[in-house]
Amino acid sequence: MSDTLDVLRSHRSDRSYLSTPVPDDVLQNIVEAAWRAPTSVNSQQVSLVVVRDPQRRAQLAELAGGQPWIAQARYLLPWCWICINPLWPFAKRARSRWPI
């Protein structure tokens, strides 16, 4: 347990990015690992996309409350929660809270 707490205590956010490109195979591995992570309902109802276009990152930065580091990053990997299947027990409640 103390290893887990040590990791949590040592966390920091660094929003100064290098301009060095990340190889496509590395990005693909990151996306695959993130997508395969467990969820609370044991289903992958999310999409993860790589946004490389600077104009789109700037638009997303504005939508996210004017966070400049989103636009400054070379890549942005936003999580998109998919809640379209009405058979999912939480879908109706989620749509009522967060309408699209």
Side-chain angles (χ1 to χ4, degrees), residues 14-91:
D14 189 348
R15 295 189 175 103
S16 56
Y17 305 109
L18 301 174
S19 61
T20 309
V22 176
D24 285 342
D25 63 319
V26 172
L27 280 174
Q28 182 65 32
N29 283 335
I30 291 169
V31 169
E32 285 182 18
W35 189 79
R36 292 174 189 272
T39 63
S40 63
V41 293
N42 199 26
S43 67
Q44 280 63 32
Q45 66 273 11
V46 295
S47 289
L48 182 61
V49 295
V50 178
V51 180
R52 300 171 195 247
D53 180 59
Q55 290 178 330
R56 289 189 183 197
R57 288 194 316 269
Q59 290 174 328
L60 290 168
E62 283 304 310
L63 289 171
Q67 300 179 48
W69 49 85
I70 291 175
Q72 294 165 0
R74 188 177 186 105
Y75 308 98
L76 177 65
L77 284 76
W79 291 87
C80 305
W81 185 48
I82 302 168
C83 189
I84 57 173
N85 187 338
L87 298 178
W88 291 341
F90 54 85

